[in-house]
Amino acid sequence: MNKINELFRNRGDRKLLSLYFCAGCPKLEMTGKVILTLQKRGIDMIEVGIPFSDPLADGPVIQSAGTVALKNGMTLKKLFGQLKAIKDQVNIPLVLMGYLNVIMHYGFENFFKSCVECGVSGCIIPDLPFKDYQEDVKPIADRYDVRVIMMISPETSEERIHFIDDHTEGFIYMVSSASITGAQSNFGDAKLAYFNRINAMNLRNPRMIGFGISNKQTLKSAQDNAAGAIIGSKFVSLLNETGDPDQAMDRLYEALEH
């Protein structure tokens, strides 16, 4: 069974925590160390960012991380090599997050084949049009049993959300706001109303809430309204500041208690 489906099937009532980091930042060869450290520290699922020169959905923290990674020489081919080296040590789901241009250049067939060879269970392609996903990407991804995770936001219509729910597997990435990524101190009434609206839709797929989670309040709001939370910018900042994934995790867990 795909590790993403297995994770959600076996979680019971436990709320999940997923972290994002950008491969190749702060150091080119740190990818494997970060993944194995996060697994050891109790993270349930990891999003590994593929650096790209023009990441439209990302805020300044993740954009900066991508710039550093590219300067360090990170490429998708190198990333797959790093993931393959630790494949046998990784038990939790890995999800690659990257933009369409990079993946198309690598080739969809090669991309999903490499995912399987390197232990990757899913991918998120923020700028992949849903029509292209259905016609060109889904048939290949299904053949390799790799989940293509779709995002929804407060701007997404209920009709489209149901359509996404009907045509994807794994989980739905529920973006907390229609803005770019970045830490926030709290989720206001508008976001909570959005969470309640989606809860009332009784979707088939589990949901993970991301964008803006950085403290106890935002984490609790996300975990109360979904299967779990995804933290990106906050962890990327801490990893850059410390240069050490263990220290970054210490500081993240401390931040999530306040």
Side-chain angles (χ1 to χ4, degrees), residues 19-52:
L19 293 192
Y20 166 96
F21 76 100
C22 182
C25 179
K27 296 177 182 176
L28 178 63
E29 301 299 336
M30 193 179 272
T31 305
K33 181 180 180 181
V34 174
I35 290 170
L36 296 177
T37 299
L38 299 192
Q39 176 176 265
K40 180 186 70 176
R41 298 297 298 269
I43 298 305
D44 297 294
M45 180 166 58
I46 300 172
E47 286 180 29
V48 184
I50 304 166
F52 180 52

Side-chain angles (χ1 to χ4, degrees), residues 5 17 19 35 68 70 84 106 151 187-188 201 207 251:
N5 295 83
L17 182 59
L19 293 192
I35 290 170
V68 170
L70 291 172
K84 195 168 188 177
Y106 194 83
M151 292 175 151
F187 289 149
M201 293 178 67
R207 287 164 288 115
R251 291 178 58 181

Side-chain angles (χ1 to χ4, degrees), residues 8 171-172 174 195 198-199 203 205-209 225-228:
F8 286 99
F171 70 95
I172 291 174
M174 190 170 162
F195 296 163
I198 303 303
N199 284 335
L203 300 178
N205 279 296
R207 287 164 288 115
M208 295 286 284
I209 295 178
N225 288 282

